[in-house]
Amino acid sequence: MHQNQTLIKSMEVLRLFEQYESLTLTEIVEMLGQPKTTVYRMVSSLQSMGWISRRKDSRYELGLLFVHYGQLVLERLNIRDLVLPVMRQLSHQLGETVNLIVREGLEGVYIEKVEAVHPVRIYHQRPGDRVPLYAGACPRVLLSFLPDEEVAEYLRHVKLRPFASGTITKIQDLQMTIIESRRVGYTISHAELVDDTSAVAAPIFNHLGEVVAGLSIAGLTSHFSDERLPNLTMSVRQAAKECSCLLGYPERESQLERLNG
Amino acid sequence: MHQNQTLIKSMEVLRLFEQYESLTLTEIVEMLGQPKTTVYRMVSSLQSMGWISRRKDSRYELGLLFVHYGQLVLERLNIRDLVLPVMRQLSHQLGETVNLIVREGLEGVYIEKVEAVHPVRIYHQRPGDRVPLYAGACPRVLLSFLPDEEVAEYLRHVKLRPFASGTITKIQDLQMTIIESRRVGYTISHAELVDDTSAVAAPIFNHLGEVVAGLSIAGLTSHFSDERLPNLTMSVRQAAKECSCLLGYPERESQLERLNG
DNA sequence: CCAATCGTTCCGAAATACGGAACACAAATT
DNA sequence: AATTTGTGTTCCGTATTTCGGAACGATTGG
């Protein structure tokens, strides 16, 4: 795969700013292990285009141009606009945080979050954050409703890495969960990404019947008691179904609905 | 200024996506007027890093990575978090849209917007949008309270381009407005950026007494009647002052306050 | 089935980025 | 005031990298 090494090296510079809020040229030089002149060229090029900018204290930081591009991307996800009102309603109704994620490649990307008002927020998945498709209810629901071949392909190659005490680490377990999810039309997770947190998620389909997003209710595991679960799963499924309808997914009872009355 | 041409050319590719939601390789080739192989290298490099991604219909679009970076930038603007509650309160109180902008170089960049609930929104400045510092109340308030030398420098070099019927196009007029703004502590604009819209803006200072942001109330010109204006200006100034205090700006009456009782 | 269009690979030529060294500029130290 | 230490910036010959025409696949449509 012949690629532009200059370009790739330059973008490495930007990558550094994921961890560091601001950097000086010398710091970048040290971190990349590249000669100063080389880094200088890359940095000033990026700066001249607005991708990075200089503060008054002469340190470099990410430019506001990224706000613009981030905004563009979000606006173009038309799913988001349709689903947001439903998310707000759902969050208000249950008093829990509601997440929306879409798939990019082998990962799920958080797009929108509507926070529960009252409780102190303990953990925070932020817009743009990525997670593997196997961990957490919301990502896994995206995986579960992919076409059979894609799921099989995924299961064949994925390496299961634990994030928290409940992360699924055996392919067999993952496969079983997927089959079960498909049968019942939703997924539940306990402490798969973060300890002491749970989620229940349902898939959103487009007019072609393809999964385009996952909708989840997430919160402290203590909020997901057995008595409350039926209500929660019912609510996400209902909300996700609404969203699917908004996207043109056939309203009529699908095979999935019939199975679960 | 020796710079990385490869890098710059590659970023031109991204720039195209500001206008077009999705593009095919051939389309990019035509628009850039570069050989296909060159474009191909750039595009696949960008794609491999996640800056652009391919949809199922095999067209290219901006990657979700931009959401992450946009989010990072917004989070790092600590001004935003402090000011947002004040903006919400202000918008609620007056029933108008409230904007927050910061400066980057010779431009103002919209950071946050709290929309009025009731009225149909006619025009839309979105997060990340840029405007010159001379046009519109909110940008100009940023300009007006810069240090004397910087203002002078700006006035010396700026080219005044009209955006709407009320845009200031004479340096003298701009200078007079700036002087007046400094005296009264706020700025008013009518149809400077968009016809039939007005705004009134006040500056937000940090602990060092530097302007770090502009806060504005914006809406249809018909909402900015002479009877209502005093209330509006009073409200933005009060809100902006609150924000300045949150940023550590000395609470005590400044010279500016004394002048205006 | 052939034509057309789009994306992808190859490879020699040449333009481009490289990077060591030396320079400027500022702030902190003596 | 002089010096040191730390920045960022320019110079320029070298050679690595990108360039880009051409030819190849892969997919779609007539």
Side-chain angles (χ1 to χ4, degrees):
Chain A
M1 181 88 87
H2 272 205
Q3 284 182 342
N4 261 333
Q5 300 179 37
T6 311
L7 174 59
I8 290 175
K9 256 192 292 186
S10 302
M11 300 315 252
E12 293 289 326
V13 174
L14 293 180
R15 281 266 147 81
L16 291 178
F17 286 93
E18 291 190 44
Q19 296 183 52
Y20 301 94
E21 188 163 330
S22 73
L23 289 168
T24 162
L25 190 112
T26 321
E27 285 169 350
I28 300 174
V29 167
E30 283 164 9
M31 299 182 131
L32 291 183
Q34 295 277 348
K36 193 158 62 166
T37 316
T38 303
V39 174
Y40 174 69
R41 248 195 310 275
M42 301 189 295
V43 166
S44 27
S45 302
L46 287 170
Q47 188 192 352
S48 74
M49 295 179 287
W51 297 105
I52 59 185
S53 63
R54 267 183 109 163
R55 315 193 301 190
K56 267 199 297 295
D57 63 359
S58 89
R59 294 176 67 83
Y60 294 99
E61 63 182 0
L62 290 177
L64 293 172
L65 191 54
F66 279 108
V67 178
H68 179 222
Y69 275 81
Q71 192 68 18
L72 277 180
V73 174
L74 283 176
E75 280 169 10
R76 288 169 183 177
L77 290 167
N78 47 8
I79 308 137
R80 179 174 167 263
D81 293 335
L82 291 169
V83 171
L84 199 50
V86 180
M87 292 175 70
R88 292 220 179 89
Q89 156 65 18
L90 189 62
S91 172
H92 181 74
Q93 172 191 325
L94 299 172
E96 299 288 347
T97 295
V98 174
N99 284 308
L100 176 71
I101 82 170
V102 300
R103 188 171 68 93
E104 191 171 71
L106 300 178
E107 292 177 310
V109 183
Y110 283 80
I111 289 305
E112 189 65 66
K113 175 176 64 172
V114 175
E115 300 229 24
V117 197
H118 321 92
V120 193
R121 35 185 172 170
I122 296 94
Y123 69 109
H124 25 247
Q125 240 82 16
R126 301 161 309 170
D129 281 356
R130 310 177 92 86
V131 276
L133 293 173
Y134 63 83
C138 207
R140 190 170 53 244
V141 91
L142 281 178
L143 172 61
S144 301
F145 290 88
L146 287 178
D148 294 348
E149 322 83 58
E150 290 192 51
V151 175
E153 175 71 8
Y154 184 86
L155 290 174
R156 215 172 295 128
H157 291 102
V158 71
K159 291 266 171 281
L160 301 177
R161 195 170 69 80
F163 288 87
S165 59
T167 311
I168 296 176
T169 51
K170 291 194 195 121
I171 294 286
Q172 289 85 341
D173 292 348
L174 179 57
Q175 190 159 24
M176 293 307 292
T177 317
I178 291 172
I179 291 170
E180 180 65 6
S181 302
R182 285 175 166 217
R183 196 179 66 79
V184 297
Y186 63 87
T187 308
I188 300 176
S189 68
H190 296 298
E192 291 190 14
L193 284 168
V194 180
D195 277 345
D196 301 314
T197 64
S198 295
V200 34
I204 298 176
F205 301 99
N206 67 5
H207 59 116
L208 299 170
E210 303 163 325
V211 230
V212 290
L215 189 70
S216 76
I217 301 166
L220 288 176
T221 299
S222 60
H223 296 187
F224 288 68
S225 63
D226 283 349
E227 305 88 67
R228 204 178 171 216
L229 260 179
N231 181 31
L232 293 176
T233 58
M234 207 270 295
S235 300
V236 242
R237 288 191 55 207
Q238 176 57 33
K241 192 177 150 196
E242 263 181 61
C243 297
S244 299
C245 289
L246 289 171
L247 292 169
Y249 183 67
E251 173 94 51
R252 58 172 177 69
E253 286 212 341
S254 64
Q255 185 183 352
L256 200 144
E257 316 274 353
R258 265 180 275 121
L259 275 166
N260 307 279
Chain B
M1 182 86 85
H2 272 201
Q3 283 182 343
N4 261 335
Q5 299 180 36
T6 311
L7 173 59
I8 290 176
K9 256 193 292 188
S10 301
M11 300 315 253
E12 293 290 325
V13 174
L14 293 180
R15 281 266 146 80
L16 291 178
F17 285 94
E18 291 189 43
Q19 295 182 55
Y20 301 93
E21 189 163 329
S22 72
L23 289 167
T24 160
L25 190 107
T26 321
E27 285 169 351
I28 300 174
V29 167
E30 282 164 9
M31 300 183 133
L32 291 182
Q34 296 277 347
K36 193 159 58 166
T37 316
T38 304
V39 174
Y40 174 69
R41 249 195 311 274
M42 301 190 296
V43 166
S44 26
S45 302
L46 287 170
Q47 188 192 352
S48 74
M49 295 180 286
W51 297 104
I52 59 186
S53 62
R54 266 182 112 165
R55 314 192 302 189
K56 267 199 295 294
D57 63 359
S58 88
R59 295 176 65 83
Y60 294 99
E61 64 182 358
L62 290 177
L64 292 173
L65 192 53
F66 279 108
V67 178
H68 179 222
Y69 275 81
Q71 190 68 17
L72 276 181
V73 174
L74 283 177
E75 280 169 10
R76 289 169 182 178
L77 291 167
N78 47 9
I79 308 136
R80 180 174 167 263
D81 294 336
L82 291 168
V83 172
L84 199 50
V86 179
M87 293 174 70
R88 292 219 179 89
Q89 157 65 17
L90 189 63
S91 171
H92 181 73
Q93 173 190 326
L94 300 172
E96 298 289 348
T97 295
V98 173
N99 285 309
L100 176 71
I101 82 169
V102 300
R103 186 171 68 94
E104 190 171 72
L106 301 178
E107 292 179 310
V109 183
Y110 283 80
I111 289 305
E112 190 64 67
K113 177 175 65 171
V114 176
E115 301 229 24
V117 195
H118 321 93
V120 192
R121 37 185 170 169
I122 297 94
Y123 68 110
H124 26 248
Q125 239 82 18
R126 301 161 309 169
D129 280 357
R130 312 177 91 85
V131 277
L133 293 175
Y134 63 83
C138 207
R140 190 169 55 244
V141 91
L142 281 178
L143 172 61
S144 302
F145 289 89
L146 286 178
D148 294 348
E149 322 83 57
E150 289 193 50
V151 175
E153 175 71 9
Y154 184 86
L155 291 174
R156 216 172 293 129
H157 292 102
V158 70
K159 291 266 171 281
L160 301 178
R161 194 169 71 81
F163 288 88
S165 59
T167 310
I168 296 177
T169 51
K170 292 192 193 122
I171 295 286
Q172 288 87 343
D173 292 348
L174 179 57
Q175 190 160 25
M176 294 307 292
T177 316
I178 291 173
I179 291 170
E180 179 65 6
S181 302
R182 284 175 165 217
R183 196 178 67 77
V184 298
Y186 63 87
T187 307
I188 300 175
S189 68
H190 296 298
E192 292 190 15
L193 284 168
V194 181
D195 278 345
D196 300 315
T197 64
S198 296
V200 34
I204 297 176
F205 301 100
N206 67 7
H207 60 114
L208 299 169
E210 304 163 324
V211 232
V212 291
L215 188 70
S216 77
I217 301 166
L220 288 176
T221 299
S222 60
H223 296 186
F224 287 69
S225 64
D226 284 349
E227 307 87 66
R228 204 177 169 219
L229 259 180
N231 181 32
L232 293 177
T233 57
M234 207 270 296
S235 299
V236 240
R237 288 190 55 207
Q238 176 56 33
K241 191 178 148 195
E242 262 180 63
C243 296
S244 299
C245 290
L246 290 171
L247 292 168
Y249 184 67
E251 173 94 53
R252 59 173 177 67
E253 285 211 342
S254 64
Q255 186 182 349
L256 200 143
E257 316 275 354
R258 265 181 272 122
L259 276 166
N260 306 280

